[in-house]
Amino acid sequence: MSERQPVAAGTGRVPSPNMMRARRLLAGGAVGGHAALVSCVVAFGIAGGVPAAVSAALAGVLTIAFFTIGQAVQVLVADADPRTVLFASLVSYIARVGGLGALLAVALANADRFKAMDTTAVAVTTIVVVLCWLAAEIRVFSRLRIPVFDETERPSDTGG
């Protein structure tokens, strides 16, 4: 019996090792981020009631969305030329930061509507979700099997 190979969504072909590594990093980070999100929502719900829990949930969801989009871009360009990967990463980052900046501008322009937000819950949840996402990604990365080899020696161009 043969093992079934995973198929890239919509392509009908087997994903490359680079794409599989990027997917594993995305999944690992998402697990860590969601675990932190749930923990913060419960903790702030107990400590500060519904407004704190809602504030923590909103902050956590935005933080997870930020990281998910970034890592999803890495999955999409996993096999591209390194310059393309860098360009895609930078464009993705600029778009995500711009989006968060726009949300911040809306929140500041409508501060009276957001008075119920618990700023401590927002700040702490954001920090905890970021740290847990990164810790989970580092853990997954440390367990990836990435082939490393030295190139064969090439004769120098100088006729020395």
Side-chain angles (χ1 to χ4, degrees):
M1 228 186 259
S2 66
E3 285 188 40
R4 294 186 70 193
Q5 293 288 327
V7 176
T11 64
R13 63 185 175 101
V14 176
S16 71
N18 289 336
M19 186 178 287
M20 293 303 295
R21 287 185 202 103
R23 285 180 180 177
R24 286 185 59 198
L25 289 171
L26 172 59
V31 167
H34 281 87
L37 169 63
V38 169
S39 299
C40 286
V41 168
V42 169
F44 280 108
I46 291 169
V50 173
V54 170
S55 298
L58 181 62
V61 166
L62 286 174
T63 305
I64 288 172
F66 185 88
F67 278 97
T68 300
I69 292 166
Q71 192 61 38
V73 168
Q74 294 298 311
V75 170
L76 292 174
V77 297
D79 294 322
D81 177 67
R83 289 174 286 193
T84 303
V85 173
L86 177 63
F87 180 75
S89 297
L90 290 174
V91 168
S92 166
Y93 184 75
I94 290 167
R96 290 179 286 144
V97 168
L100 289 176
L103 283 174
L104 179 60
V106 167
L108 291 175
N110 300 298
D112 53 323
R113 293 184 182 178
F114 293 101
K115 285 186 181 185
M117 293 290 288
D118 184 333
T119 55
T120 302
V122 169
V124 170
T125 300
T126 300
I127 292 167
V128 170
V129 170
V130 166
L131 291 175
C132 289
W133 180 289
L134 293 175
E137 261 192 350
I138 290 168
R139 185 173 189 276
V140 169
F141 184 81
S142 70
R143 288 167 171 69
L144 289 178
R145 296 182 56 99
I146 301 173
V148 178
F149 56 92
D150 293 330
E151 290 187 30
T152 58
E153 287 189 36
R154 296 181 186 165
S156 66
D157 291 337
T158 60

